[in-house]
Amino acid sequence: MAKDYGEVELFGVGGSPFARRVQIALELKGVQYTYFEEDLRNKSDLLIKYNPIHKKVPVLVHNGRPLAESLVILEYIDETWENHHPILPQQPYDRALARFWSRFIDDKCMPAISKAAFTADKEERDKGTEESLESLQILENVLKHKFFGGETTIGIVDIAAGFIAFWLPAIEEAVGLKLLTNEKFPKLYKWGEDYTNHPVVKKNLPQRDRVVGFFKARYASITASK
Ligand SMILES: N[C@@H](CCC(=O)N[C@@H](CS)C(=O)NCC(=O)O)C(=O)O
C-alpha cells in the first residue's frame, strides 16, 4: 500500500468465525498485520487488557489502540483503509442496509444455528432448526447478486455471513444436521461455493477436519451432559 498506516495487530483464535471476518477484511484490503493466536482457556493478559468488557477475540490493535467486536472492526477497517476494496456501500441507505443484514446474521441466524446443532434438549434443537431454516430463507430472498456485496464484490454482509458457508457443511458432517441444501436454498448454496472459492477467503478458511472435530466434541459434551 502506498500510505503507511502504522502497526496492525490481530488477536484471534483459529476456529473463531468472528476472527476470520477480520482476517478476510484485512487481506481484502491488502493490510499487513501481525497475528496473535489466543488460548481461550487461558486468555493472555493482553487480551484482557485490550478487551476488558467482553474478554473475547477478535481484537484489532491499530497503533496501540484496541478495538473489539468483529462488525465494529470491519467498519473501522473499511473507513481506515478506504481506497482499496470497499466493503461497505457508498450510499447512506445502502450502508445502513448492509449494517442491518450483518446484525441480522449475528442476532438471528447464528444463535438459531447454534441452537439447532448444539442444544441438549431435542425440542429446543427442533425449534433451532426451524429458526435456522427461516433465517436462511430470509437470506436466500435478500441475495440478489453473486455476492451480497454485488456481482463482483465481497462486502460486509458476505464477510459476516461467511461462517454459514464453512460452518454448515462441517455441522452436517459432525452431527448430521442438514441446513444449507441446494434444493432448499439454491442461491445461498451457490453463494457459499463462490464465497469459499474466492482466493482471499479460501486462504483464510479454517481447516475443515479441525472444525468438524471441534463440533463433534461440542456435540458429544452436550449429549453427555443430558
Ligand atoms: N460479538 C463478538 C463475538 C466474539 C466471540 O464470541 N468470540 C469468541 C470466540 S469465537 C470468544 O472469544 N469467546 C471467549 C469467551 O466467551 O470467553 C464479535 O463479533 O466479535
Side-chain angles (χ1 to χ4, degrees):
M1 304 201 86
K3 205 161 151 185
D4 179 13
Y5 287 93
E7 192 183 24
V8 180
E9 298 168 311
L10 173 64
F11 291 73
V13 296
S16 166
F18 305 102
R20 293 284 154 185
R21 290 174 174 174
V22 178
Q23 280 180 297
I24 287 168
L26 288 171
E27 297 204 15
L28 282 171
K29 296 274 188 185
V31 178
Q32 300 287 322
Y33 64 99
T34 309
Y35 178 78
F36 296 94
E37 178 76 10
E38 275 292 325
D39 175 357
L40 292 180
R41 284 161 304 184
N42 181 22
K43 294 173 185 169
S44 72
D45 293 343
L46 272 182
L47 178 66
I48 309 291
K49 176 180 141 195
Y50 286 145
N51 189 3
I53 308 298
H54 299 299
K55 303 179 181 64
K56 291 183 177 186
V57 294
V59 173
L60 184 85
V61 186
H62 186 199
N63 291 327
R65 297 192 304 176
L67 203 52
E69 289 297 307
S70 60
L71 296 180
V72 174
I73 299 173
L74 292 185
E75 292 208 31
Y76 175 77
I77 291 172
D78 202 38
E79 287 172 7
T80 305
W81 291 277
E82 62 196 341
N83 292 331
H84 189 59
H85 195 114
I87 56 178
L88 272 114
Q90 289 304 308
Q91 297 304 319
Y93 182 75
D94 296 337
R95 288 172 81 80
L97 274 188
R99 292 186 184 111
F100 175 90
W101 288 116
S102 311
R103 285 181 206 168
F104 167 80
I105 287 159
D106 277 11
D107 297 345
K108 292 274 185 206
C109 204
M110 193 180 267
I113 292 170
S114 285
K115 186 156 122 185
F118 304 114
T119 311
D121 185 70
K122 163 93 172 74
E123 236 174 75
E124 274 297 289
R125 271 209 308 276
D126 289 348
K127 211 162 140 227
T129 302
E130 205 179 295
E131 289 166 8
S132 300
L133 295 173
E134 269 169 29
S135 299
L136 294 176
Q137 185 62 56
I138 289 171
L139 291 177
E140 171 84 4
N141 297 343
V142 165
L143 184 59
K144 298 281 185 254
H145 303 280
K146 181 172 176 180
F147 297 114
F148 289 98
E151 210 40 53
T152 53
T153 315
I154 286 184
I156 190 168
V157 181
D158 296 282
I159 300 172
F163 77 94
I164 292 174
F166 59 79
W167 260 26
L168 292 193
I171 285 180
E172 186 177 333
E173 192 178 331
V175 309
L177 174 68
K178 256 189 188 192
L179 291 172
L180 183 60
T181 60
N182 191 17
E183 294 69 37
K184 275 204 182 82
F185 307 112
K187 286 192 288 172
L188 204 55
Y189 187 86
K190 172 81 172 48
W191 164 84
E193 289 183 336
D194 291 336
Y195 184 70
T196 48
N197 276 321
H198 184 285
V200 168
V201 177
K202 202 171 188 164
K203 191 172 143 230
N204 283 289
L205 286 180
Q207 263 179 298
R208 167 72 175 252
D209 51 346
R210 289 189 65 179
V211 181
V212 171
F214 172 76
F215 285 153
K216 277 188 175 157
R218 192 164 158 196
Y219 187 71
S221 76
I222 61 126
T223 42
S225 67
K226 189 63 184 147

